[in-house]
Amino acid sequence: MTAFLNAIAVFSFLLLGSIELIIFLRVILSWIPVPPGKFSQFLRDISEPVMKPFRKLPISRIGLLDLSPIWTVLAIEVVAMLIRYFLVSLGADHPIIASI
């Protein structure tokens, strides 16, 4: 059972971390004036479904500044903390859990 919980922990934290990294790269690329390409389209295709609900928040924009990536990363961090708490309470003991 512990091995299964550890596998769930590793998978979920890698997935959430990857989404955060993709959002970070998308934000960085939005500041650089480069023509759109396949890589930026890939980042948009992956991150937009996650960020779309946060674009509908009333405080998702301040002038021209889009705050939805910040809200999305904060929500991902909250989800990661809840997953960590849940897995620890069930007995998972993988080192990746202790590092978060």
Side-chain angles (χ1 to χ4, degrees):
M1 179 69 165
T2 303
F4 179 69
L5 292 175
N6 289 337
I8 290 174
V10 170
F11 175 76
S12 61
F13 292 130
L14 286 176
L15 178 67
L16 294 174
S18 298
I19 293 171
E20 284 182 351
L21 178 63
I22 288 170
I23 291 170
F24 177 73
L25 289 173
R26 183 175 173 191
V27 168
I28 296 299
L29 284 178
S30 73
W31 295 340
I32 301 171
V34 293
K38 290 183 179 182
F39 183 67
S40 60
Q41 184 64 35
F42 168 75
L43 294 176
R44 184 183 182 286
D45 290 345
I46 297 297
S47 63
E48 191 58 34
V50 179
M51 292 173 47
K52 191 173 185 175
F54 296 97
R55 292 194 193 282
K56 297 177 183 177
L57 293 174
I59 53 174
S60 68
R61 244 182 212 289
I62 296 178
L64 296 176
L65 184 62
D66 183 16
L67 299 177
S68 60
I70 295 171
W71 297 122
T72 306
V73 170
L74 285 173
I76 289 171
E77 287 298 319
V78 167
V79 168
M81 283 189 278
L82 291 173
I83 291 172
R84 178 180 180 266
Y85 175 76
F86 177 69
L87 290 174
V88 167
S89 69
L90 290 176
D93 58 357
H94 195 276
I96 197 169
I97 296 174
S99 68
I100 297 176

